[in-house]
Amino acid sequence: MRRNLGQRLAAGLAVAALAAAAAVGTVAPAGAAADNLPGVPAPGSSDATWQEWAQQERAEAEATDWAADARTRGCTLVEATVVDEVDPAYNAAMGAPADLVTHRVDMVEDCPETPAGTLAGTLDGGLTRSDRVATTAIGSGTQCATTHGPGTICVYSSSGRIYGSWRYSGDGSVSGFLRIYRIPTSSDDCYRGDTWLTGPSVTWSSGMTRSISKTRTTYSGYSAHIWKKVTIGHTDWGRACAKL
């Protein structure tokens, strides 16, 4: 049966629309923004909206009693610093402009050593469960694990923020940095996903706990890693992950 010109044009447009939709679906970035939590602007909001939100978040951080925050974990605050930064990875995760100025909080604390029985993911020999094939999905809430370098790494949420911390329990001092990755909530391993937050290069002395934190904007899996400085570059010394 011969089709008229209108039918042929309609069919052609339908095929083109399907092809375009398929193409769009194949190029979506892995770190594309998910649904933001209440109070966080929707992805694609105006620059002015994002700037107002970021300024409010920073003002709240400046007004926070970080010593009281540390006490909720049984720790004594040594130092807390609110740092302005432009973090394209963090901004992309919530659909904000790449050049949005946000803040993170770097803390130094004196914390008691976590009892071995409470460490999530600890295995014999001081290795974490993430060093072996995992068989269950990552847990929710605060998660901690022992690390290759003697210490304890934790990832948790508190007062609307995501924290990554590491307590060094070896001798002398070591240098490195903390990094938090965003991973799917269905993950069964604390792997390195999309970078979400990177802390500064710093030094830990024996018994010192350092943490980094940033405003929680989406429900997701978060994987905190401690990167130790070595002769050339850094090595991943351990990790902990959770749905937060």
Side-chain angles (χ1 to χ4, degrees):
M1 179 184 296
R2 296 175 61 86
R3 295 184 294 178
N4 61 35
L5 178 60
Q7 290 174 318
R8 292 198 299 273
L9 286 173
L13 289 172
V15 171
L18 288 172
V24 170
T26 60
V27 298
D35 292 335
N36 288 341
L37 296 172
V40 181
S45 294
S46 68
D47 288 4
T49 298
W50 280 110
Q51 289 167 5
E52 181 181 4
W53 172 82
Q55 290 167 3
Q56 290 175 345
E57 290 297 310
R58 194 191 197 289
E60 289 183 12
E62 289 283 4
T64 296
D65 184 344
W66 294 107
D69 178 81
R71 286 195 294 272
T72 64
R73 296 182 291 279
C75 302
T76 300
L77 179 69
V78 177
E79 179 181 275
T81 307
V82 180
V83 182
D84 287 330
E85 63 179 0
V86 175
D87 188 338
Y90 177 79
N91 293 343
M94 59 183 176
D99 60 354
L100 179 69
V101 178
T102 58
H103 77 280
R104 73 169 192 272
V105 177
D106 300 332
M107 297 175 67
V108 179
E109 300 168 285
D110 181 9
C111 300
E113 188 167 1
T114 305
T118 66
L119 292 179
T122 301
L123 294 173
D124 293 339
L127 299 180
T128 62
R129 182 169 287 116
S130 57
D131 291 304
R132 304 187 184 179
V133 176
T135 57
T136 58
I138 60 176
S140 300
T142 299
Q143 298 291 320
C144 298
T146 53
T147 57
H148 291 293
T152 304
I153 190 167
C154 297
V155 62
Y156 56 95
S157 176
S158 177
S159 301
R161 306 181 68 82
I162 298 294
Y163 290 76
S165 71
W166 186 57
R167 182 184 189 277
Y168 177 55
S169 55
D171 297 327
S173 62
V174 295
S175 297
F177 64 90
L178 284 161
R179 175 170 286 166
I180 301 176
Y181 300 88
R182 197 161 60 103
I183 60 177
T185 55
S186 59
S187 301
D188 61 2
D189 192 12
C190 302
Y191 67 92
R192 300 190 288 270
D194 297 318
T195 296
W196 187 76
L197 173 61
T198 300
S201 295
V202 289
T203 298
W204 281 258
S205 57
S206 183
M208 176 185 288
T209 298
R210 287 186 179 273
S211 69
I212 56 174
S213 72
K214 211 160 175 75
T215 301
R216 176 175 176 260
T217 59
T218 61
Y219 173 71
S220 182
Y222 294 92
S223 182
H225 291 236
I226 173 65
W227 287 92
K228 177 188 178 292
K229 184 177 181 180
V230 291
T231 303
I232 300 178
H234 295 77
T235 185
D236 192 339
W237 246 13
R239 55 268 198 193
C241 56
K243 291 178 286 191
L244 300 168

